[in-house]
Amino acid sequence: MSRIRTAAIFRCAAPLGALVLAAALGGCTLGPLPPVEPPASPVSYRAMLDQFSKRLLDAGAPAVLVQVRVGSDKWSQSYGVRDLASRATAEVSGPVHVGNVTKSMVAVAVLKLAEEGVLQLDAPASAYLPQFDPVLHPPESVSVRQLLQHRSGMPSVSGPLFDPATVRQALTQGVGMPELLAMAGRMPWERRLAQGFEYSDSNYIALGMIVERIRGRPIGDVIRTDIVEPLDLSATRMTAPGPPPSSMVHGYITLDGQPLDVTYPAAQIGNAALGMVSNVADLNSFYRALLQNKLLQPATTKEMQSPPYAKYGLGVFRWNDLCTNDFYYGHTGDVPGYGTIALASADGTRQLAMAVAYPPEPLLAGVNPALQEMETIAVDALNSTC
């Protein structure tokens, strides 16, 4: 994420493979199954999200956009304004920067290459991107799978990219993915005896470059062909030079004590880690199609959700689904000015997507508290729809 790592919310609730789960989650032990609760009225999750959204507005958020799909029931709501200058009402269809949700789409593009047999997930990344080793100097060989899972240990470029001292430059000067990879190569990459999950935007910069080299086209064009056009996602696109869409919800930070519009930073243009723009309806459509095997073969979708009980699979986060003792899959997004979360039940029938234009605040070095709250409320809201 732009400078931050999302803290996924986990509960010790899934009995299947409890010993593995206990080890993976730090000693959680298997307890009795939760009691069966009566079906929740749709009003319950709506009231929960309505209250949370209004609290964000009270804290200074310009806009909150939400869409929930539970079976045939669909509820969408927008709060606040599109921008602070015009004070025009925010529309729920308004596009926003979805930041790190981009990674799920890039992962689909990579996995389609694997399905076609032109890429092997366990092959070294350097086999598909010759400059990988000379530019990054990894302490040992790194596979494509490790990049997808954030298990390479590669340092993230987003800290330097969105440092408060250089954020104005990031707003106006584009940075290509080769330059971002070179930036990562100038950062220390430490060797570890056992490399676990360590979130880094640099992994997906490298994956985006691999896709571009194999396909011979920009990553945004590949995502459009692989995902956007087949699903008719009208608001979803990779950022490109030029002004933002007129309907876009604006994001802000505070710099030198004043609000600064960060709606279309040049440094995010074409960025495979966090460059996509979308809206909440398109995000729900994307994850529903993904989990219902409309983008990938069933075996590939299942592999995307591996390894079992890890917090992160191949381009997707995982949260406990207390309604089914299964998992929700999706992604969070955090870039300057915006926070996003989209998650869906394993069968794609229960979904929630929420996007927030953050209250204008100075850039944070850690997890944005609003994003942490969004994760919690999103999971709780879907768990109330049993």
Side-chain angles (χ1 to χ4, degrees):
M1 341 210 121
S2 78
R3 320 171 324 282
I4 72 171
R5 203 183 309 165
T6 298
I9 306 300
F10 288 89
R11 295 178 175 82
C12 303
L16 181 60
L19 294 178
V20 178
L21 179 59
L25 300 185
C28 298
T29 57
L30 178 64
L33 291 173
V36 176
E37 299 289 343
S41 164
V43 176
S44 63
Y45 74 75
R46 294 180 186 183
M48 190 185 306
L49 293 165
D50 184 73
Q51 182 181 31
F52 175 72
S53 299
K54 290 177 178 177
R55 185 155 57 85
L56 280 174
L57 291 185
D58 290 342
V64 182
L65 314 173
V66 187
Q67 188 193 70
V68 180
R69 300 179 68 125
V70 179
S72 60
D73 180 56
K74 182 170 70 174
W75 177 72
S76 302
Q77 189 62 264
S78 62
Y79 304 82
V81 297
R82 188 178 66 218
D83 63 86
L84 296 179
S86 72
R87 309 297 297 184
T89 301
E91 300 289 340
V92 74
S93 60
V96 297
H97 274 293
V98 297
N100 311 87
V101 177
T102 306
K103 294 179 174 65
S104 292
M105 299 182 183
V106 171
V108 169
V110 172
L111 292 169
K112 286 181 75 68
L113 290 171
E115 288 183 343
E116 294 169 16
V118 297
L119 176 147
Q120 301 296 319
L121 295 182
D122 294 311
S126 58
Y128 308 106
L129 192 64
Q131 64 265 50
F132 188 89
D133 287 354
V135 169
L136 292 167
H137 313 291
E140 57 189 6
S141 180
V142 173
S143 70
V144 174
R145 187 185 301 275
Q146 287 174 306
L147 296 177
L148 286 165
Q149 293 175 332
H150 293 290
R151 294 176 67 90
S152 72
M154 195 191 317
S156 180
V157 294
S158 288
L161 190 62
F162 292 108
D163 186 274
T166 59
V167 68
R168 290 188 188 275
Q169 180 178 337
L171 293 176
T172 57
Q173 296 184 19
V175 184
M177 289 198 290
E179 289 83 4
L180 292 173
L181 202 69
M183 186 186 302
R186 294 191 290 271
M187 302 168 68
W189 187 343
E190 299 178 2
R191 183 187 183 116
R192 301 185 182 180
L193 292 177
Q195 179 60 53
F197 172 83
E198 186 175 352
Y199 196 98
S200 171
D201 285 343
S202 303
N203 291 313
Y204 277 75
I205 297 296
L207 287 168
M209 293 177 66
I210 288 172
V211 173
E212 289 189 342
R213 186 170 184 270
I214 294 175
R215 293 293 192 199
R217 294 183 290 146
I219 184 63
D221 289 352
V222 177
I223 291 174
R224 185 177 68 248
T225 300
D226 288 351
I227 298 170
V228 174
E229 291 176 349
L231 300 181
D232 194 23
L233 304 181
S234 60
T236 303
R237 68 191 72 183
M238 178 64 79
T239 48
S246 59
S247 58
M248 190 159 176
V249 173
H250 286 229
Y252 303 85
I253 63 171
T254 297
L255 192 65
D256 300 327
Q258 298 295 321
L260 178 67
D261 193 315
V262 291
T263 301
Y264 222 58
Q268 288 176 217
I269 289 174
N271 189 312
L274 43 79
M276 295 298 290
V277 167
S278 189
N279 65 14
V280 291
D282 277 10
L283 292 182
N284 276 339
S285 294
F286 164 63
Y287 282 108
R288 184 170 63 256
L290 176 61
L291 293 167
Q292 294 180 349
N293 305 312
K294 295 177 181 177
L295 293 173
L296 298 168
Q297 298 170 12
T300 308
T301 303
K302 188 172 183 64
E303 187 167 17
M304 195 176 191
Q305 299 165 359
S306 66
Y309 309 115
K311 70 168 68 175
Y312 200 87
L314 307 183
V316 289
F317 276 105
R318 186 196 326 261
W319 298 266
N320 281 58
D321 180 350
L322 300 186
C323 293
T324 63
N325 276 330
D326 203 329
F327 295 99
Y328 299 117
Y329 296 95
H331 216 290
T332 54
D334 183 284
V335 290
Y338 298 92
T340 308
I341 183 167
L343 65 161
S345 59
D347 63 0
T349 61
R350 290 180 295 117
Q351 298 184 265
L352 183 149
M354 178 186 302
V356 174
Y358 285 144
E361 294 176 347
L363 290 172
L364 300 174
V367 176
N368 192 304
L371 183 62
Q372 291 180 301
E373 288 191 70
M374 287 168 65
E375 280 194 271
T376 301
I377 197 70
V379 174
D380 287 349
L382 275 188
N383 280 335
S384 75
T385 64
C386 300

